[in-house]
Amino acid sequence: MSQKVKYTSSEHLITRQANAEKEFLAQFEENKYTIDNPFVVQNPYLINPLCALILFHTPRETAPTVTVCGKRFEREDLRHTFAADTFHKLPVLGLYEDFANRVIISLPDGTEKEIVIQTAKLPQDVCRCLNIMTSADYMQDNFMFLTPAGKNLPTAYDYKGDIRWLLTENTMFDIKRAANGNLLTGSSRFCRMPYNSTGLVELDMLGKIYKEYRLPGNYHHDQFEMEDGNLLVLTQDFHRETVEDMCVLIDRNTGEILKQWDYTTFLPQDVAGSGSQDAHDWFHNNSVWYDKATHSLTFSGRHQDAIVNIDFDSGKLNWIIGDPEGWPQDMVQKYFFTPVGDVANFDWQYEQHAALICPNGDVMCFDNGQYRAKKKENYIKNRDNFSRGVRYRIDTEKMEIEQVWQYGKERGQEFFSPYICNVEFYEEGHYMVHSGGIGFKDGYAADMLGPFLDAKDPAVALRSVTVEEKDGTVLYELETEGNFYRAEKLSIYHHGENLCFGPGKLLGRLDVTPEFDTVPDAEPVDAQPDAWHNIVIEEDEDRMVFHGRFERGTLAMICLENDKESHHYFLNTSASWHLAMCSGAFLEDDDRDIKMNISKEGLKGKFAVKIIINDKKFDTGVSFFCP
Amino acid sequence: MIQEIDTQTYDQLDKSGPMLVEFYSKTCGPCKMLAFVLRDIDKTLPDFKMYTIDYDENQELKERLGVKGFPTILLMKDGREMDRLAGLKQKPVIKKAIEDIL
């Protein structure tokens, strides 16, 4: 049989990182490394080319300081002092790319050691800063972390717009710093189209993953860390017809699901649809926020133009912020607000993202404004539209709402993002507004979302603009290439443990991949499918991802077979059109290229992978082992 | 019993009792799969009337019946639509929908 099917088997990144750590620690043990002769390993956890790790011993406990010298002058130096110890493991973060970085290790007794770490050039297609307006005084030691909305990479920019942190893994959606200093963001592992990944990962700034929290319904869009460390994560149930309409609370240590909220229990699914709604993705939940003061959860539902608040314990609806047009009258009377105050300048939010509750109970969100109407005949074209950050004050007794702040409306289409984005509340009067989904075609706001635009077309430009405003003055504005899902301003070091050794953990579980119970008649052939099908089978520790190219309308099915049993998975080769595409990370250039994830959950033994293509059953020659 | 029909035959059908009408396209993978599913169901319900109609060749009929895509299954009783299944469905879902109109 000639080899036309490609097969790869790789360990989970957690395993590869554990092996790499074991290896460099073994090398470190081979010699006696001191501050004069420290052990240096660049990119120790394989996915952050702008970092290094320095290891050495001192005879007595001491608290070393690492200084990553600025490119231009001392004012730009990044400095962090670590806890006193005799064994020192010092992450060196925020290196400049393609540069001989001066790094100084100093001890309280005045001992200093300077080393030079030469970094390589970053991949050509990283998204560069195009413009930045801020100051070192304003940004201090913070970088702006942007998470990708496509095949671009998670990237952080300093006050000059230089890239100082980048992961070569396409982790996605929200990024937040947990109370322990680690980052929480979406896994890069594909599970289901359009953008569902296996779960959530907890990692440090070096890129070391401590935990991956897998979810049967996968992860999308957002998460929130509770005070006790447990995590609220947005998910869904793929065994039913609708998506992006569930939230779960997971145990931080075990990944076990402790509680879940199903939005179909408190919202009608067939009313007040936004311009992007369909029956499948009726709500399109893109954010979750827990408010301790009211013990409630707030969800943003893009496809109902609604911000919804429910009681944490009972799951009962408290209120809805949104244009009431199209909602049942009894719901409007009970749950919706009436605008008060400067109503002439009041606007409802449409297809919004990232709703949050301010300390005083106000509600903020990024109002994308897509369509900016409930009825089709009133839809606003993107080029005539605007996006903004908005803050509403709500009175839940009188059911009144007042718009108390907005930023962005005045910028019109140049700040318009029809999808993604977020806002941040820092303190009274101090906010961030991230418009990361800007797309232009022929100089106007494009009619399509960024992932569907051809970035190679000279008439197309994808942009991300992040603004910070304090007391009405813009103190920060970053414009980059590409589209970025969210922005988060973070210091690269934190006051907790910046690195812990030991293998990461794969927690939770994927679901059993649904099978198809009818098997079409197909003649077995002793051959692999034609090379045109470009079949690639990637095996991982807990799943297999099948890639293949099929003409539209092809009947295709994956069959896992051994002597005792067989399992069948239907491959949909029809053209599919997604009304929402918050991350284009998994989109293929050729829409005949399709992929399917098959979890090892529920499977045991060794299976031959076969593929039915129309009336023939081909043997891929690949076997798939499920422990 | 599964029978391929066109608009003219559909209009002339005796629509009394329960029946299933499926709109399919020759260019649709899920429709091809659904043909095998219906064939399996037919083995267990040989007296139940099932009709397949080419979506692309019967534009006026699909518009008259409000069919917006393929595959679409209409479950009908005495000429009235009782239920509708859009997209490829597995045997238990279709069987349940049939049982509901029997």
Side-chain angles (χ1 to χ4, degrees):
Chain A
M1 202 186 292
S2 65
Q3 203 57 40
K4 294 167 186 164
V5 172
K6 285 182 204 138
Y7 168 76
T8 63
S9 173
S10 57
E11 288 167 319
H12 191 288
L13 181 57
I14 282 178
T15 309
R16 283 183 280 139
Q17 289 184 336
N19 293 340
E21 185 179 89
K22 222 169 151 181
E23 205 173 304
F24 69 66
L25 286 177
Q27 283 174 27
F28 172 68
E29 291 302 328
E30 282 170 15
N31 287 299
K32 197 163 174 58
Y33 291 98
T34 65
I35 188 165
D36 294 325
N37 172 33
F39 182 80
V40 182
V41 51
Q42 274 185 256
N43 191 7
Y45 293 99
L46 317 172
I47 62 168
N48 177 358
L50 299 181
C51 75
L53 178 64
I54 294 177
L55 303 172
F56 62 93
H57 287 287
T58 48
R60 278 178 295 281
E61 265 200 1
T62 186
T65 296
V66 163
T67 304
V68 178
C69 297
K71 211 173 197 176
R72 287 156 280 257
F73 38 76
E74 202 183 321
R75 177 74 181 80
E76 295 178 329
D77 290 357
L78 280 176
R79 195 169 284 118
H80 185 77
T81 300
F82 293 84
D85 207 333
T86 55
F87 170 43
H88 305 284
K89 46 183 186 0
L90 314 181
V92 179
L93 300 166
L95 297 175
Y96 295 94
E97 69 160 314
D98 194 22
F99 189 68
N101 289 268
R102 281 176 58 232
V103 177
I104 298 165
I105 316 161
S106 50
L107 302 182
D109 66 6
T111 309
E112 272 196 5
K113 171 71 182 175
E114 181 176 321
I115 57 172
V116 174
I117 300 174
Q118 175 67 49
T119 51
K121 215 168 163 44
L122 293 176
Q124 205 168 2
D125 55 353
V126 296
C127 292
R128 300 286 172 186
C129 166
L130 297 170
N131 289 296
I132 188 156
M133 184 289 294
T134 192
S135 64
D137 280 344
Y138 178 71
M139 282 301 274
Q140 302 285 322
D141 59 351
N142 294 304
F143 297 153
M144 191 61 76
F145 288 72
L146 303 184
T147 58
K151 293 185 193 302
N152 45 344
L153 295 166
T155 311
Y157 304 83
D158 69 8
Y159 84 108
K160 278 284 185 190
D162 282 325
I163 294 174
R164 304 291 294 277
W165 179 90
L166 178 125
L167 295 184
T168 49
E169 268 301 293
N170 193 260
T171 55
M172 60 208 288
F173 286 122
D174 182 40
I175 189 166
K176 286 192 188 97
R177 174 163 267 160
N180 66 5
N182 286 336
L183 301 173
L184 291 163
T185 191
S187 140
S188 59
R189 296 200 301 149
F190 165 77
C191 233
R192 282 181 179 86
M193 291 299 284
Y195 42 59
N196 295 287
S197 68
T198 51
L200 187 67
V201 289
E202 178 176 341
L203 72 164
D204 64 23
M205 286 291 183
L206 291 163
K208 175 175 176 173
I209 298 177
Y210 293 94
K211 287 168 187 157
E212 178 178 322
Y213 299 95
R214 296 173 298 182
L215 285 164
N218 302 163
Y219 161 83
H220 65 87
H221 288 95
D222 200 17
Q223 71 280 344
F224 186 95
E225 185 189 33
M226 302 290 282
E227 224 171 52
D228 62 4
N230 289 340
L231 300 167
L232 292 163
V233 189
L234 300 186
T235 187
Q236 58 238 305
D237 177 359
F238 285 111
H239 297 277
R240 64 188 200 185
E241 299 280 313
T242 59
V243 293
E244 298 180 33
D245 51 4
M246 289 178 88
C247 177
V248 289
L249 177 69
I250 59 174
D251 184 287
R252 184 64 170 278
N253 297 315
T254 65
E256 185 194 344
I257 294 175
L258 304 172
K259 190 172 169 67
Q260 71 175 44
W261 294 267
D262 173 358
Y263 313 161
T264 63
T265 61
F266 55 81
L267 285 174
Q269 294 98 65
D270 54 354
V271 300
S274 77
S276 299
Q277 193 197 47
D278 63 17
H280 182 59
D281 190 7
W282 63 276
F283 188 66
H284 193 94
N285 183 200
N286 57 40
S287 73
V288 54
W289 188 273
Y290 172 72
D291 179 49
K292 193 180 174 188
T294 54
H295 193 43
S296 67
L297 295 173
T298 300
F299 303 118
S300 161
R302 178 185 190 239
H303 291 181
Q304 284 192 329
D305 301 318
I307 299 170
V308 172
N309 179 271
I310 64 164
D311 181 77
F312 183 92
D313 292 327
S314 69
K316 282 192 179 152
L317 198 52
N318 290 325
W319 48 256
I320 298 173
I321 295 177
D323 182 344
E325 189 173 345
W327 288 85
Q329 202 49 40
D330 59 327
M331 288 192 75
V332 171
Q333 280 170 355
K334 204 168 171 189
Y335 302 115
F336 282 74
F337 294 90
T338 303
V340 294
D342 182 8
V343 291
N345 289 308
F346 180 94
D347 291 294
W348 291 114
Q349 85 290 347
Y350 294 88
E351 299 216 345
Q352 76 291 324
H353 282 74
L356 62 86
I357 306 292
C358 303
N360 73 343
D362 285 0
V363 181
M364 282 179 74
C365 72
F366 187 88
D367 169 19
N368 297 74
Q370 170 89 320
Y371 303 109
R372 208 164 277 289
K374 301 299 282 185
K375 283 189 180 150
K376 203 169 183 178
E377 56 270 30
N378 298 329
Y379 286 173
I380 309 282
K381 278 181 78 81
N382 290 356
R383 64 177 63 180
D384 302 321
N385 210 334
F386 62 89
S387 295
R388 61 188 184 141
V390 63
R391 180 173 175 179
Y392 296 118
R393 184 151 300 152
I394 54 170
D395 182 331
T396 54
E397 294 295 320
K398 295 180 184 164
M399 293 307 283
E400 291 175 345
I401 186 167
E402 185 182 1
Q403 182 180 301
V404 293
W405 170 86
Q406 75 83 38
Y407 174 90
K409 181 176 182 178
E410 60 287 355
R411 294 183 66 161
Q413 62 172 321
E414 61 122 0
F415 198 64
F416 179 72
S417 283
Y419 76 129
I420 62 175
C421 313
N422 68 310
V423 289
E424 292 284 326
F425 173 94
Y426 297 131
E427 57 185 343
E428 283 304 324
H430 191 189
Y431 316 113
M432 180 229 275
V433 184
H434 169 69
S435 186
I438 299 167
F440 296 108
K441 176 90 168 74
D442 300 321
Y444 296 97
D447 293 328
M448 286 194 287
L449 303 183
F452 301 126
L453 291 168
D454 177 8
K456 290 179 194 131
D457 179 346
V460 165
L462 298 180
R463 294 287 179 267
S464 170
V465 175
T466 311
V467 174
E468 290 196 358
E469 189 194 88
K470 193 163 192 247
D471 302 326
T473 304
V474 173
L475 294 175
Y476 178 91
E477 179 157 342
L478 167 72
E479 181 185 11
T480 72
E481 298 169 325
N483 280 177
F484 284 97
Y485 184 74
R486 280 198 187 177
E488 185 83 11
K489 186 169 70 175
L490 298 169
S491 59
I492 193 99
Y493 288 102
H494 61 87
H495 296 298
E497 282 282 335
N498 283 272
L499 170 64
C500 295
F501 287 142
K505 290 178 187 164
L506 200 49
L507 300 173
R509 63 172 185 86
L510 300 176
D511 67 348
V512 175
T513 306
E515 297 186 36
F516 207 82
D517 64 2
T518 303
V519 183
D521 299 334
E523 179 198 346
V525 289
D526 187 22
Q528 291 190 335
D530 191 85
W532 180 86
H533 288 292
N534 199 21
I535 288 174
V536 178
I537 297 170
E538 294 172 329
E539 188 175 354
D540 197 342
E541 284 172 30
D542 55 357
R543 70 202 178 121
M544 166 184 101
V545 183
F546 178 95
H547 303 253
R549 177 176 296 166
F550 301 92
E551 289 294 0
R552 298 228 177 99
T554 303
L555 174 61
M557 179 174 269
I558 302 167
C559 311
L560 300 183
E561 297 180 352
N562 64 24
D563 293 344
K564 294 179 195 152
E565 56 191 290
S566 59
H567 302 270
H568 306 95
Y569 307 91
F570 177 73
L571 277 170
N572 189 352
T573 59
S574 297
S576 50
W577 181 251
H578 302 285
L579 291 165
M581 185 51 73
C582 296
S583 170
F586 302 139
L587 274 182
E588 302 288 353
D589 290 339
D590 186 333
D591 65 6
R592 294 171 304 176
D593 289 343
I594 58 173
K595 52 184 172 282
M596 183 178 197
N597 176 83
I598 297 176
S599 155
K600 289 186 180 179
E601 194 76 26
L603 299 172
K604 203 164 178 58
K606 193 175 175 185
F607 296 93
V609 182
K610 299 190 177 178
I611 171 88
I612 292 174
I613 303 176
N614 292 323
D615 56 352
K616 301 270 192 298
K617 186 197 274 187
F618 297 89
D619 189 346
T620 64
V622 171
S623 293
F624 174 61
F625 181 70
C626 306
Chain B
M1 172 210 70
I2 302 174
Q3 193 184 338
E4 167 88 21
I5 58 170
D6 58 14
T7 304
Q8 196 183 354
T9 315
Y10 174 84
D11 287 338
Q12 290 166 358
L13 273 181
D14 170 11
K15 297 188 183 68
S16 61
M19 66 178 193
L20 177 154
V21 177
E22 184 226 350
F23 281 83
Y24 74 94
S25 168
K26 288 175 188 138
T27 60
C28 155
C31 302
K32 289 175 184 167
M33 190 67 235
L34 187 56
F36 287 96
V37 178
L38 295 182
R39 205 183 296 174
D40 269 9
I41 291 172
D42 185 53
K43 285 176 194 160
T44 59
L45 294 167
D47 297 329
F48 181 68
K49 293 181 282 186
M50 292 195 268
Y51 301 101
T52 59
I53 300 174
D54 188 326
Y55 179 97
D56 305 303
E57 301 282 326
N58 295 276
Q59 294 285 330
E60 185 274 327
L61 179 61
K62 65 109 176 159
E63 269 168 39
R64 199 192 324 153
L65 296 177
V67 174
K68 293 191 170 77
F70 46 78
T72 299
I73 289 174
L74 307 181
L75 283 308
M76 306 181 86
K77 195 166 189 178
D78 299 327
R80 280 195 307 129
E81 181 182 328
M82 308 300 289
D83 198 0
R84 175 179 295 226
L85 302 172
L88 175 61
K89 304 289 176 207
Q90 301 236 41
K91 257 182 288 190
V93 176
I94 301 171
K95 273 182 157 175
K96 167 81 173 53
I98 292 172
E99 279 160 15
D100 288 347
I101 59 164
L102 287 180

Short mmCIF file of all heavy atoms in Angstrom, two decimals, chain A residues 173-208:
data_model
loop_
_atom_site.label_atom_id
_atom_site.label_comp_id
_atom_site.label_asym_id
_atom_site.label_seq_id
_atom_site.Cartn_x
_atom_site.Cartn_y
_atom_site.Cartn_z
N PHE A 173 -9.22 33.13 23.03
CA PHE A 173 -10.32 33.75 23.78
C PHE A 173 -9.80 34.58 24.96
O PHE A 173 -8.80 35.24 24.85
CB PHE A 173 -11.37 32.72 24.20
CG PHE A 173 -12.23 32.26 23.04
CD1 PHE A 173 -12.30 30.92 22.68
CD2 PHE A 173 -12.96 33.17 22.31
CE1 PHE A 173 -13.09 30.51 21.62
CE2 PHE A 173 -13.76 32.76 21.24
CZ PHE A 173 -13.82 31.44 20.91
N ASP A 174 -10.50 34.47 26.09
CA ASP A 174 -10.19 35.37 27.21
C ASP A 174 -8.81 35.05 27.79
O ASP A 174 -8.33 33.92 27.71
CB ASP A 174 -11.26 35.18 28.29
CG ASP A 174 -11.04 36.10 29.46
OD1 ASP A 174 -10.67 37.26 29.24
OD2 ASP A 174 -11.24 35.66 30.61
N ILE A 175 -8.20 36.06 28.40
CA ILE A 175 -6.98 35.83 29.19
C ILE A 175 -7.13 36.67 30.45
O ILE A 175 -7.45 37.85 30.38
CB ILE A 175 -5.71 36.16 28.38
CG1 ILE A 175 -4.45 35.72 29.14
CG2 ILE A 175 -5.63 37.65 28.03
CD1 ILE A 175 -3.19 35.71 28.26
N LYS A 176 -6.96 36.02 31.60
CA LYS A 176 -7.05 36.76 32.87
C LYS A 176 -5.97 36.23 33.80
O LYS A 176 -5.59 35.05 33.71
CB LYS A 176 -8.41 36.53 33.54
CG LYS A 176 -9.57 37.26 32.90
CD LYS A 176 -10.81 37.21 33.81
CE LYS A 176 -12.03 37.76 33.11
NZ LYS A 176 -12.88 36.74 32.52
N ARG A 177 -5.51 37.10 34.69
CA ARG A 177 -4.55 36.65 35.69
C ARG A 177 -5.32 36.09 36.88
O ARG A 177 -6.23 36.75 37.41
CB ARG A 177 -3.64 37.80 36.12
CG ARG A 177 -2.72 37.43 37.26
CD ARG A 177 -1.57 38.42 37.40
NE ARG A 177 -0.41 37.93 36.65
CZ ARG A 177 0.60 38.69 36.26
NH1 ARG A 177 0.59 39.97 36.51
NH2 ARG A 177 1.62 38.16 35.61
N ALA A 178 -4.96 34.89 37.30
CA ALA A 178 -5.60 34.28 38.46
C ALA A 178 -4.99 34.87 39.73
O ALA A 178 -3.94 35.52 39.69
CB ALA A 178 -5.39 32.77 38.42
N ALA A 179 -5.64 34.60 40.85
CA ALA A 179 -5.16 35.14 42.13
C ALA A 179 -3.74 34.66 42.44
O ALA A 179 -2.97 35.37 43.09
CB ALA A 179 -6.11 34.73 43.24
N ASN A 180 -3.36 33.50 41.96
CA ASN A 180 -2.00 32.98 42.22
C ASN A 180 -0.97 33.54 41.23
O ASN A 180 0.20 33.15 41.29
CB ASN A 180 -2.00 31.45 42.20
CG ASN A 180 -2.31 30.87 40.81
OD1 ASN A 180 -2.44 31.62 39.84
ND2 ASN A 180 -2.44 29.56 40.72
N GLY A 181 -1.39 34.43 40.36
CA GLY A 181 -0.46 35.06 39.43
C GLY A 181 -0.39 34.40 38.06
O GLY A 181 0.11 34.98 37.10
N ASN A 182 -0.88 33.16 37.97
CA ASN A 182 -0.86 32.48 36.67
C ASN A 182 -1.91 33.07 35.73
O ASN A 182 -2.77 33.85 36.14
CB ASN A 182 -1.14 30.98 36.85
CG ASN A 182 0.05 30.26 37.44
OD1 ASN A 182 1.19 30.73 37.33
ND2 ASN A 182 -0.19 29.13 38.09
N LEU A 183 -1.81 32.67 34.46
CA LEU A 183 -2.77 33.12 33.46
C LEU A 183 -3.80 32.03 33.22
O LEU A 183 -3.47 30.83 33.25
CB LEU A 183 -2.06 33.41 32.13
CG LEU A 183 -0.96 34.46 32.16
CD1 LEU A 183 -0.24 34.51 30.81
CD2 LEU A 183 -1.54 35.83 32.48
N LEU A 184 -5.03 32.43 32.96
CA LEU A 184 -6.07 31.50 32.56
C LEU A 184 -6.53 31.89 31.16
O LEU A 184 -6.90 33.05 30.94
CB LEU A 184 -7.26 31.56 33.52
CG LEU A 184 -7.00 31.03 34.93
CD1 LEU A 184 -8.06 31.52 35.90
CD2 LEU A 184 -6.96 29.50 34.92
N THR A 185 -6.46 30.96 30.25
CA THR A 185 -6.89 31.26 28.88
C THR A 185 -7.35 29.96 28.20
O THR A 185 -7.21 28.88 28.79
CB THR A 185 -5.73 31.94 28.10
OG1 THR A 185 -6.23 32.44 26.85
CG2 THR A 185 -4.57 31.01 27.82
N GLY A 186 -7.87 30.06 27.00
CA GLY A 186 -8.40 28.88 26.30
C GLY A 186 -7.29 28.01 25.73
O GLY A 186 -6.27 28.52 25.27
N SER A 187 -7.49 26.72 25.78
CA SER A 187 -6.52 25.78 25.20
C SER A 187 -6.47 25.97 23.68
O SER A 187 -7.45 26.40 23.06
CB SER A 187 -6.96 24.36 25.54
OG SER A 187 -6.78 23.48 24.47
N SER A 188 -5.34 25.62 23.09
CA SER A 188 -5.21 25.73 21.63
C SER A 188 -5.66 24.44 20.94
O SER A 188 -5.62 24.36 19.72
CB SER A 188 -3.75 26.00 21.27
OG SER A 188 -2.95 24.94 21.75
N ARG A 189 -6.10 23.45 21.72
CA ARG A 189 -6.40 22.14 21.10
C ARG A 189 -7.80 22.14 20.50
O ARG A 189 -8.80 22.26 21.23
CB ARG A 189 -6.23 21.04 22.13
CG ARG A 189 -4.79 20.93 22.63
CD ARG A 189 -4.52 19.58 23.25
NE ARG A 189 -5.39 19.28 24.36
CZ ARG A 189 -5.78 18.06 24.68
NH1 ARG A 189 -5.42 17.03 23.93
NH2 ARG A 189 -6.55 17.85 25.73
N PHE A 190 -7.87 21.94 19.21
CA PHE A 190 -9.15 21.93 18.48
C PHE A 190 -10.05 20.80 18.97
O PHE A 190 -9.61 19.69 19.21
CB PHE A 190 -8.88 21.73 16.98
CG PHE A 190 -10.10 21.35 16.21
CD1 PHE A 190 -11.05 22.30 15.89
CD2 PHE A 190 -10.32 20.04 15.83
CE1 PHE A 190 -12.20 21.95 15.18
CE2 PHE A 190 -11.46 19.67 15.12
CZ PHE A 190 -12.40 20.64 14.79
N CYS A 191 -11.31 21.13 19.10
CA CYS A 191 -12.28 20.06 19.39
C CYS A 191 -13.45 20.06 18.41
O CYS A 191 -13.75 19.05 17.82
CB CYS A 191 -12.77 20.18 20.82
SG CYS A 191 -12.58 18.64 21.71
N ARG A 192 -14.10 21.20 18.29
CA ARG A 192 -15.24 21.26 17.36
C ARG A 192 -15.28 22.62 16.70
O ARG A 192 -15.00 23.63 17.32
CB ARG A 192 -16.57 21.06 18.11
CG ARG A 192 -16.87 19.61 18.45
CD ARG A 192 -18.21 19.53 19.16
NE ARG A 192 -18.55 18.16 19.48
CZ ARG A 192 -18.16 17.52 20.57
NH1 ARG A 192 -17.38 18.14 21.43
NH2 ARG A 192 -18.52 16.28 20.81
N MET A 193 -15.67 22.62 15.43
CA MET A 193 -15.84 23.88 14.72
C MET A 193 -17.04 24.61 15.34
O MET A 193 -17.94 23.95 15.87
CB MET A 193 -16.07 23.63 13.24
CG MET A 193 -14.86 23.09 12.52
SD MET A 193 -13.45 24.22 12.57
CE MET A 193 -13.94 25.45 11.37
N PRO A 194 -17.12 25.93 15.27
CA PRO A 194 -16.12 26.76 14.61
C PRO A 194 -14.89 27.08 15.47
O PRO A 194 -13.83 27.32 14.93
CB PRO A 194 -16.90 28.04 14.31
CG PRO A 194 -17.99 28.10 15.34
CD PRO A 194 -18.33 26.67 15.67
N TYR A 195 -15.03 27.09 16.80
CA TYR A 195 -13.87 27.54 17.59
C TYR A 195 -13.84 26.94 18.98
O TYR A 195 -13.37 27.58 19.92
CB TYR A 195 -13.84 29.08 17.67
CG TYR A 195 -15.19 29.71 17.90
CD1 TYR A 195 -15.94 29.41 19.03
CD2 TYR A 195 -15.73 30.60 16.99
CE1 TYR A 195 -17.17 29.97 19.24
CE2 TYR A 195 -16.97 31.17 17.18
CZ TYR A 195 -17.69 30.85 18.32
OH TYR A 195 -18.93 31.41 18.53
N ASN A 196 -14.38 25.74 19.13
CA ASN A 196 -14.38 25.14 20.46
C ASN A 196 -13.09 24.39 20.71
O ASN A 196 -12.71 23.51 19.93
CB ASN A 196 -15.56 24.20 20.59
CG ASN A 196 -16.87 24.96 20.51
OD1 ASN A 196 -17.24 25.67 21.43
ND2 ASN A 196 -17.54 24.86 19.37
N SER A 197 -12.42 24.74 21.81
CA SER A 197 -11.19 24.03 22.15
C SER A 197 -11.47 23.11 23.34
O SER A 197 -12.50 23.23 24.00
CB SER A 197 -10.07 25.01 22.44
OG SER A 197 -10.32 25.71 23.62
N THR A 198 -10.51 22.21 23.60
CA THR A 198 -10.74 21.16 24.60
C THR A 198 -11.09 21.70 25.97
O THR A 198 -11.83 21.06 26.71
CB THR A 198 -9.49 20.29 24.74
OG1 THR A 198 -8.35 21.16 24.94
CG2 THR A 198 -9.25 19.44 23.51
N GLY A 199 -10.55 22.87 26.32
CA GLY A 199 -10.81 23.39 27.67
C GLY A 199 -10.02 24.65 27.93
O GLY A 199 -9.68 25.41 27.02
N LEU A 200 -9.73 24.81 29.20
CA LEU A 200 -9.09 26.02 29.69
C LEU A 200 -7.70 25.63 30.19
O LEU A 200 -7.54 24.55 30.76
CB LEU A 200 -9.96 26.48 30.87
CG LEU A 200 -9.70 27.79 31.52
CD1 LEU A 200 -10.01 28.91 30.55
CD2 LEU A 200 -10.63 27.93 32.74
N VAL A 201 -6.71 26.50 29.98
CA VAL A 201 -5.38 26.18 30.53
C VAL A 201 -4.94 27.24 31.54
O VAL A 201 -5.29 28.41 31.42
CB VAL A 201 -4.29 26.05 29.42
CG1 VAL A 201 -4.50 24.79 28.61
CG2 VAL A 201 -4.23 27.27 28.52
N GLU A 202 -4.20 26.75 32.53
CA GLU A 202 -3.58 27.65 33.51
C GLU A 202 -2.08 27.58 33.26
O GLU A 202 -1.50 26.49 33.30
CB GLU A 202 -3.91 27.20 34.93
CG GLU A 202 -3.25 28.09 35.98
CD GLU A 202 -3.65 27.73 37.41
OE1 GLU A 202 -4.69 27.07 37.61
OE2 GLU A 202 -2.90 28.13 38.33
N LEU A 203 -1.47 28.70 32.97
CA LEU A 203 -0.04 28.69 32.64
C LEU A 203 0.65 29.90 33.24
O LEU A 203 -0.01 30.84 33.69
CB LEU A 203 0.17 28.64 31.12
CG LEU A 203 -0.14 29.87 30.27
CD1 LEU A 203 0.51 29.73 28.90
CD2 LEU A 203 -1.62 30.08 30.09
N ASP A 204 1.98 29.86 33.27
CA ASP A 204 2.70 31.04 33.76
C ASP A 204 3.26 31.82 32.57
O ASP A 204 3.06 31.45 31.41
CB ASP A 204 3.77 30.63 34.78
CG ASP A 204 4.87 29.75 34.18
OD1 ASP A 204 5.08 29.80 32.95
OD2 ASP A 204 5.53 29.04 34.95
N MET A 205 3.98 32.88 32.87
CA MET A 205 4.48 33.76 31.80
C MET A 205 5.55 33.09 30.95
O MET A 205 5.81 33.51 29.82
CB MET A 205 5.01 35.07 32.39
CG MET A 205 3.93 36.00 32.86
SD MET A 205 2.99 36.69 31.48
CE MET A 205 1.87 37.80 32.36
N LEU A 206 6.20 32.06 31.51
CA LEU A 206 7.18 31.33 30.70
C LEU A 206 6.48 30.47 29.65
O LEU A 206 7.11 30.01 28.71
CB LEU A 206 8.03 30.42 31.59
CG LEU A 206 9.01 31.10 32.56
CD1 LEU A 206 9.46 30.12 33.62
CD2 LEU A 206 10.21 31.65 31.81
N GLY A 207 5.20 30.21 29.88
CA GLY A 207 4.44 29.35 28.97
C GLY A 207 4.24 27.96 29.54
O GLY A 207 3.66 27.10 28.88
N LYS A 208 4.69 27.74 30.76
CA LYS A 208 4.51 26.42 31.37
C LYS A 208 3.04 26.23 31.76
O LYS A 208 2.47 27.05 32.48
CB LYS A 208 5.39 26.25 32.61
CG LYS A 208 5.11 24.94 33.31
CD LYS A 208 5.99 24.63 34.47
CE LYS A 208 5.51 23.32 35.10
NZ LYS A 208 6.38 22.82 36.13
#
